[in-house]
Structure formats: structure tokens, C-alpha cells
């Protein structure tokens, strides 16, 4: 399709041609021509957020829950700078995002004009790619190219900065035919000889483990299905990163739980003792590896990733395979089946016997309480209540996030939205708004902390305006819980500025916005409160008052190996804490 139109018209037409149905944004002077075009059409729904960071996280939640590219639209200057946190978050977690920003007219660029900033320079370190479009004849190509870059290869955020005069100018619009990038062509198919070698290594392994990450989910539902088939064929145990939860069923027999700093004992021990590790779509970040020189020291490592820069970046591997994990897993399953071979059954049985011993450690056990709601218990009860429901979970960042990862079971991909790499407080609520916009009939719950929820609480107004029945379950312990936990364990219990004083009355706050507020502080009343939250036809803030000083275990203290975990029973013994942490643990890694 080729026709004459203004730059602002091109933006709207390109979004429609790319299959976009929701845009999350906030208007301002430098982007008003685009907003004028939004007003004159009704195919594209614009969700007016209350802060540009909220727009970015909402677009992230939308993208993560649908597999599509999320889109945000903001003005110049502070509109663009407010979006930076969300862009950095999307980059670290590989979320496909297109951020369209307004800019001052081209003649004023560099003059310190009103609401001008160097958006390209500011966002270059926190985006996959960015553009400053100075010529309207380049605009349609850039718009379509941005979607290609955002969704292809390792997904990520792309910024398109459009000066106001370019939005008014008239030019030729070209449809999305043969869209690509002149230099960016990610490798999709993996090397077949390397895939055969990987299958041989797994076949000969006596203690294999599969370690999956968010890349499996990004590759699509077919990749998750291939992962499940590979696990069934190999009989190998599987663990995953925080971002990979749901790619393999949380109730599966081979599932060991999440690994890493707050992962399960059995997952971390199996990673340490394995002889072959298959890493699929993960990047060996520091929260997984613990001390690098002690990470899985005796294993041969296979790393599958579409991003070649992620391979050998942190951990040296024995067999790298570059390509899309969906294609590679499909080839691995095919090669495995064609081989006609089976792994060593006795060795496999011995390996699972060892894993059973680790599982008996019951690392997620906690001391129940009849008078105070334990946060672990709250999430266990929530998990029971949402079984069989069409549910999506988002989280803020902190203890509540780790407890949610530990105690909620995800059977399917794209049901779990959290900030993994950047650890952004304030992510979960606007992300839930984006998820609910994409899935209006689903149950969407944000697991929050009393500190995190206040970062973007203004998005409750967005949920009310658009009739988005998002539920927020606050595990309220009156602390920045994870900060307090680290201060207790690593800083001599000197709780510097981690106690959150002057908390609002969350029930009154919810009601002030027009939402429903619920409060509960008794275990005996918890089930009824959760039911009330779920059943209410509208946004809910549920203030769940939990034990103030509960800690999240297991925990790998900073500077320790990933098999050197501090367990909940040890945390009651100060001498054991000192031994577990040591001097190395005082270095905040």
C-alpha cells in the first residue's frame, strides 16, 4: 500500500498494519498531531495512563502476556525521560516494545527548546535500537523496521523519536512489505552438527539437568511444547529462571522449582552436581550462578541462545548453539527420536534417588502461625483459589515477588509477568493493567508489597477509567522486606530506612479512587478475603497484613556458591548465619 499522508497519519496506519490494537500513552505538546489522529479513528484503542513509566510497564505486561509487541506513546522531554525505567526493564528482560516519542521541531533540536531532551542519546544504552526521524519520507520504513527489530532475534525495546514538524509534514506511506533491517539478521536455525552433539552429550550423561529461561517463552508456545517433549524423552530434571516460569508445568514430575538466589534446594544442588547442563534461553546471570568460580564446576555445559553475545559472556560453555530455541528444540527432539537410543536407565534412577533426598529437605517449609498471616501461607491459599481459573499474575519487586515465584504454580507460559533483570519496584500494577487490557475476561492479580505498590499506585485511576478489574494483593509487612532482610543478615540488623512509616489506609485509598478495598490480618479470615477479592467485578486493593519480620528462604548469601544456601531453620541461629555468610557475603554483589 502506497499513498500520501502526514507523518502523524503514518504512525497510526503503521500501528494498524502491524496488528496493534492497544497503545498505552500520555499526551503532550510534541506529540499532539499523533493524538489528533487517534481521536479521528476507533480501530486502535488508546489507554491513558497516569505516568509514562506506567505506560511502559503496561506495554510490557501486554507484550509478555500476548507474545505481541507492546506499544507506548509519550511526549518529548520529561515524557521520554519518564519512560527510561520501563525501557531499561524491557531490555534486560527481553520484552518486545516500541516506544514512540514526540520531539521538538527539527529546527529547534539542540537549542534547549521547551521540553527538549536528547532522547536518542539518553535511551541508546537502554534500548535494542533507536531512531530519530528527521525526514517524513523515512518515517514509514522506520516504523515497520522498528517492529521487526523489537520482535525478532532476542526481543527488546525500540525507540522512534519523531519531531513535531515531521508529524505535520506530508509524505509517501509504504506498507509493511518485505520489512527487515539492512544489517540486523538474527540466526534462527541452529547448526545441525552441534545439535547432534548436544543430543549425544545428553544421551551419555549420568546426571543431566535442563535449565530454561525466558527465551523459551519468548520463542512462543511451540517452543514450550518442544521443551516439554524433550523433558519427557530425556527423563532429565528441569529447573528455570524467574523469567522462565510456566514454560514447563509447575506440577510436572520432573520439575525441581526455580533455581538461583531464592531457588529451591533441590534445583541448586542438582545444578551444582550435574555432569551435563543444557541451558536454553537463559543468560547465567549473577542471581543464578552465585560465586562464578564455584558454579556447577564438574559439568559440561550446552548453551542455546538466539543472542550470540550472551554465549560465553559470563560462563564458559562446552557447546554453544546459536539460534531460535523453538527451532533448535524441535531439531533436538527429532534427532533424539531418530537415534533409537535411550539413556542409561540405572544411572538415571540413581540421579533421581539423589534428587529425592534433596527434596526431603523441604526447603520451602515455614513455621505456621494461627494468629498471624504468614506470607507463604497467604500465597499458598491464593494458589489453591486460582486453580482452574484463567489467571495471570504480575508482581512488584521484593520478598513478595520471590514468595510468589516459590509458592504459585504456573502450568502454562505467558501467565507470569515480573521484573527480573532490572528489579523494578512499581512494575507489577501497571503491568497488570496492560495484561487486563489484553485479556479483559481473565483474572489478573498483582502480588505487591506495601512499599512497591506506592511507586505507581496512580494507575488505579487508569484501571477505574477503563473498567479493568485488576486485583492487587498487598503482602503488607510495613517494611521494604527484602532490604530489611539483607540489613538483618548482612548489616548487623541495622535497619536503615527500610521501615515504611506513615503507610496509607489502603482501603480508604482504594475507595478514594472508586475501587474496592479489603483488609485482613487473621489467618482464619484469609480464605474469605481472597474469595471476596476474586469475585468482585472491578479493581480491588487487598491489604493482607502479614508477619512483619518473615524472611525469604532459601537464600544464597552474596559471595557464596549456588550450593551454599542459607535455609530457614539455620536463620534462627546467629552463629549459623555468620558461618553461612562470612566475610565474602558482606560484599553486596
Amino acid at each position: 500500500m502506497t499513498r500520501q499522508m502526514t507523518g502523524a497519519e503514518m504512525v497510526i496506519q503503521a500501528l494498524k498494519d502491524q496488528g496493534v490494537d492497544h497503545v498505552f500513552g500520555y499526551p503532550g505538546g510534541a506529540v499532539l498531531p499523533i493524538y489528533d489522529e487517534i481521536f479521528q479513528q476507533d480501530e486502535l484503542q488508546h489507554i491513558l495512563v497516569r505516568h509514562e513509566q506506567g505506560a511502559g510497564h503496561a506495554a510490557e505486561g501486554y507484550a509478555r502476556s500476548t507474545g505481541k509487541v507492546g506499544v507506548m506513546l509519550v511526549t518529548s522531554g520529561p515524557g521520554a525521560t519518564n519512560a527510561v525505567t520501563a525501557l531499561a526493564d524491557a531490555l534486560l528482560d527481553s520484552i518486545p516494545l516500541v516506544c514512540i516519542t514526540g520531539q521538538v521541531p527539527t529546527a529547534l533540536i539542540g537549542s534547549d527548546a521547551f521540553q527538549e531532551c536528547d532522547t536518542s542519546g539518553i535511551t541508546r544504552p537502554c534500548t535494542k535500537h533507536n531512531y530519530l526521524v528527521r525526514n517524513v519520507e523515512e518515517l514509514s520504513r522506520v516504523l515497520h523496521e522498528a517492529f521487526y527489530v523489537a520482535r525478532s532475534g532476542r526481543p527488546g525495546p525500540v525507540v522512534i523519536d519523531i519531531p513535531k514538524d515531521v508529524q505535520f509534514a506530508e509524505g509517501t506511506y509504504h506498507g509493511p512489505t518485505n520489512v527487515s533491517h539492512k544489517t540486523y539478521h538474527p540466526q534462527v536455525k541452529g547448526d545441525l552438527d552441534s545439535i547432534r552433539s548436544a543430543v549425544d552429550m545428553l544421551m551419555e550423561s549420568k546426571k543431566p539437568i535442563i535449565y530454561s529461561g525466558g527465551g523459551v517463552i519468548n520463542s512462543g508456545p511451540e517452543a514450550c511444547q518442544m521443551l516439554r517433549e524433550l523433558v519427557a524423552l530425556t527423563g532429565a530434571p528441569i529447573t528455570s529462571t524467574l523469567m522462565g516460569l510456566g514454560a514447563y508445568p509447575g506440577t510436572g514430575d520432573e520439575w525441581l522449582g526455580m533455581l538461583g538466589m531464592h531457588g529451591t534446594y533441590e534445583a541448586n544442588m542438582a545444578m551444582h552436581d550435574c555432569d551435563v547442563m543444557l541451558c536454553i534461553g537463559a543468560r547465567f546471570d549473577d542471581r543464578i550462578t552465585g560465586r562464578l568460580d564455584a558454579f556447577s564446576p564438574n559439568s559440561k555445559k550446552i548453551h542455546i541462545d538466539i543472542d550470540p553475545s550472551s554465549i560465553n559472556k559470563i560462563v564458559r560453555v562446552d557447546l554453544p548453539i546459536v539460534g531460535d530455541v523453538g527451532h533448535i528444540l524441535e531439531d533436538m527432539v527429532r534427532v533424539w527420536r531418530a537415534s533409537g537410543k535411550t539413556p542409561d536407565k540405572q544411572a538415571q534412577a540413581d540421579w533421581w534417588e539423589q534428587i529425592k533426598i534433596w527434596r526431603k529437605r523441604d526447603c520451602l517449609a515455614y513455621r505456621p502461625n494461627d494468629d498471624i498471616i504468614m506470607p507463604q501461607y497467604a500465597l499458598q491459599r491464593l494458589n489453591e483459589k486460582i486453580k482452574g481459573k484463567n489467571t495471570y499474575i504480575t508482581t512488584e519487586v521484593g520478598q513478595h515477588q520471590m514468595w510468589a515465584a516459590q509458592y504459585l504454580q504456573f502450568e502454562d507460559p505467558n501467565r507470569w509477568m515480573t521484573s527480573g533483570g532490572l528489579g523494578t519496584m512499581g512494575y507489577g500494577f501497571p503491568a497488570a493493567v496492560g495484561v487486563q487490557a489484553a485479556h479483559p475476561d481473565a483474572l489478573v492479580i498483582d502480588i505487591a508489597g506495601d512499599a512497591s505498590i506506592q511507586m505507581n499506585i496512580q494507575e488505579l485511576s487508569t484501571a477505574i477509567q477503563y473498567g479493568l478489574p485488576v486485583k492487587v494483593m498487598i503482602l503488607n509487612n510495613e517494611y521494604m522486606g527484602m532490604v530489611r532482610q539483607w540489613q538483618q543478615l548482612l548489616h548487623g540488623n541495622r535497619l536503615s530506612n527500610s521501615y515504611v512509616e506513615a503507610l496509607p489506609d489502603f482501603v480508604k485509598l482504594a475507595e478514594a479512587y472508586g475501587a474496592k478495598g479489603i483488609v485482613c490480618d487473621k489467618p482464619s479470615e484469609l480464605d474469605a478475603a481472597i474469595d471476596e477479592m476474586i469475585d468482585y467485578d472491578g479493581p480491588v486493593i487487598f491489604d493482607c497484613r502479614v508477619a512483619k519480620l518473615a524472611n525469604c528462604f532459601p537464600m544464597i548469601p552474596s559471595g557464596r556458591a549456588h550450593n551454599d544456601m542459607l535455609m530457614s531453620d539455620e536463620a534462627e541461629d546467629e552463629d549459623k548465619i555468620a558461618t553461612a555468610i562470612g566475610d565474602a557475603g558482606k560484599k553486596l554483589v
Side-chain angles (χ1 to χ4, degrees):
M1 179 180 86
T2 302
R3 48 185 259 234
Q4 292 296 110
M5 57 179 72
T6 66
E9 291 175 306
M10 289 183 188
V11 171
I12 301 306
Q13 188 60 53
L15 294 180
K16 293 177 181 178
D17 289 346
Q18 289 292 335
V20 175
D21 47 23
H22 288 83
V23 174
F24 304 89
Y26 201 93
V31 79
L32 286 184
I34 297 174
Y35 272 89
D36 190 47
E37 292 301 325
I38 289 175
F39 183 83
Q40 299 179 61
Q41 58 83 53
D42 54 14
E43 297 172 52
L44 193 69
Q45 184 180 11
H46 179 276
I47 304 290
L48 175 65
V49 297
R50 289 354 187 216
H51 190 282
E52 290 88 355
Q53 183 184 350
H57 295 323
E60 284 189 276
Y62 177 93
R64 186 73 174 171
S65 67
T66 62
K68 298 165 68 175
V69 177
V71 180
M72 62 185 297
L73 174 62
V74 300
T75 194
S76 63
T81 58
N82 282 346
V84 165
T85 297
L87 293 171
D89 191 90
L91 182 68
L92 279 173
D93 285 345
S94 304
I95 308 299
L97 201 66
V98 168
C99 174
I100 299 169
T101 61
Q103 184 56 275
V104 300
T106 52
L108 295 180
I109 292 177
S111 71
D112 294 332
F114 176 68
Q115 289 196 334
E116 182 196 0
C117 72
D118 180 7
T119 301
S120 294
I122 289 169
T123 64
R124 189 170 292 117
C126 61
T127 54
K128 187 176 177 182
H129 195 53
N130 66 14
Y131 303 86
L132 171 59
V133 184
R134 293 175 177 267
N135 186 339
V136 71
E137 295 297 342
E138 296 290 314
L139 183 56
S140 63
R141 174 190 63 80
V142 166
L143 286 162
H144 297 308
E145 192 176 284
F147 277 84
Y148 166 79
V149 173
R151 72 164 65 96
S152 63
R154 179 181 176 181
V158 178
V159 165
I160 311 170
D161 198 28
I162 311 174
K164 194 169 184 177
D165 58 322
V166 174
Q167 297 171 44
F168 278 124
E170 193 168 285
T172 305
Y173 175 80
H174 301 276
T177 55
N178 302 317
V179 177
S180 64
H181 187 278
K182 59 184 178 182
T183 60
Y184 178 62
H185 304 286
Q187 181 178 332
V188 174
K189 295 291 287 183
D191 178 72
L192 197 54
D193 288 337
S194 297
I195 291 170
R196 291 192 183 101
S197 297
V199 168
D200 288 341
M201 288 170 67
L202 284 169
M203 194 80 73
E204 295 166 6
S205 168
K206 296 184 183 302
K207 298 188 292 183
I209 191 167
I210 295 174
Y211 152 42
S212 67
V216 180
I217 294 173
N218 285 341
S219 186
E222 296 82 5
C224 297
Q225 183 57 41
M226 287 296 105
L227 175 67
R228 297 171 187 215
E229 290 189 28
L230 184 66
V231 172
L233 283 172
T234 62
I238 178 170
T239 181
S240 95
T241 65
L242 182 72
M243 298 301 295
L245 295 176
Y248 186 82
T251 56
D253 291 338
E254 288 83 8
W255 176 242
L256 300 185
M258 182 180 72
L259 79 159
M261 176 169 281
H262 292 287
T264 66
Y265 183 75
E266 53 266 32
N268 285 331
M269 292 302 293
M271 284 284 284
H272 185 268
D273 281 12
C274 69
D275 61 0
V276 171
M277 177 195 302
L278 174 61
C279 174
I280 311 171
R283 57 189 177 89
F284 294 102
D285 75 280
D286 61 292
R287 271 8 186 194
I288 296 300
T289 63
R291 201 178 79 233
L292 271 174
D293 61 3
F295 176 68
S296 194
N298 300 313
S299 67
K300 293 180 179 178
K301 299 173 182 66
I302 307 164
H303 190 183
I304 301 170
D305 206 295
I306 199 164
D307 180 6
S309 71
S310 291
I311 292 177
N312 290 324
K313 180 179 180 180
I314 297 171
V315 171
R316 298 292 300 179
V317 299
D318 300 276
L319 180 59
I321 307 177
V322 176
D324 179 81
V325 297
H327 288 85
I328 294 171
L329 286 172
E330 184 178 6
D331 286 340
M332 288 188 74
V333 168
R334 180 176 52 79
V335 169
W336 185 287
R337 285 176 173 156
S339 72
K341 300 178 183 177
T342 57
D344 185 331
K345 296 294 185 184
Q346 185 56 54
Q348 192 174 70
D350 293 342
W351 181 223
W352 275 106
E353 280 301 314
Q354 177 59 65
I355 291 171
K356 286 178 184 177
I357 293 171
W358 290 326
R359 277 178 167 166
K360 288 179 181 177
R361 186 70 171 79
D362 197 12
C363 66
L364 298 182
Y366 60 93
R367 183 174 295 175
N369 193 307
D370 293 332
D371 300 317
I372 301 171
I373 299 174
M374 297 303 292
Q376 302 94 325
Y377 177 71
L379 289 167
Q380 284 180 323
R381 296 311 305 151
L382 177 66
N383 189 62
E384 289 301 313
K385 295 289 185 180
I386 62 177
K387 281 183 178 178
K389 296 183 184 295
N390 180 22
T391 307
Y392 294 82
I393 299 291
T394 70
T395 80
E396 309 295 336
V397 170
Q399 286 179 319
H400 60 274
Q401 175 191 30
M402 295 297 104
W403 281 317
Q406 291 172 339
Y407 292 96
L408 299 182
Q409 295 173 318
F410 298 94
E411 301 300 297
D412 299 299
N414 304 106
R415 299 285 175 154
W416 164 253
M417 277 60 64
T418 195
S419 175
L422 195 62
T424 306
M425 292 176 70
Y427 165 90
F429 190 25
V433 167
V435 174
Q436 191 78 78
H439 308 277
D441 298 324
L443 173 62
V444 181
I445 304 173
D446 172 34
I447 308 299
D450 49 275
S452 277
I453 190 58
Q454 295 187 78
M455 291 280 188
N456 276 311
I457 191 67
Q458 76 283 341
E459 298 310 325
L460 187 52
S461 179
T462 305
I464 292 292
Q465 178 176 340
Y466 294 95
L468 302 172
V470 174
K471 321 299 181 189
V472 180
M473 184 174 179
I474 303 173
L475 300 186
N476 184 351
N477 59 11
E478 299 182 7
Y479 280 95
M480 298 176 204
M482 193 62 82
V483 174
R484 179 206 49 77
Q485 178 171 334
W486 282 49
Q487 288 174 335
Q488 177 189 345
L489 299 180
L490 302 176
H491 295 279
N493 205 31
R494 293 180 292 278
L495 307 185
S496 174
N497 292 282
S498 54
Y499 176 58
V500 185
E501 297 186 68
L503 279 173
D505 182 325
F506 286 110
V507 172
K508 288 182 179 178
L509 183 59
E511 292 172 349
Y513 276 102
K516 183 175 184 59
I518 301 170
V519 64
C520 179
D521 60 4
K522 294 180 174 59
S524 60
E525 299 173 1
L526 180 61
D527 277 16
I530 293 175
D531 287 337
E532 186 179 3
M533 175 187 75
I534 291 173
D535 294 340
Y536 183 73
D537 185 21
V540 176
I541 301 291
F542 173 26
D543 183 4
C544 184
R545 308 279 179 87
V546 299
K548 290 184 167 83
L549 299 177
N551 284 331
C552 184
F553 295 107
M555 174 185 177
I556 303 173
S558 294
R560 305 301 291 183
H562 68 135
N563 67 326
D564 191 2
M565 287 159 279
L566 183 62
M567 310 297 280
S568 58
D569 55 354
E570 296 173 335
E572 298 174 5
D573 187 322
E574 291 185 3
D575 291 334
K576 287 185 178 180
I577 290 177
T579 301
I581 294 174
D583 291 334
K586 295 175 183 176
K587 301 173 183 176
L588 299 185
V589 177

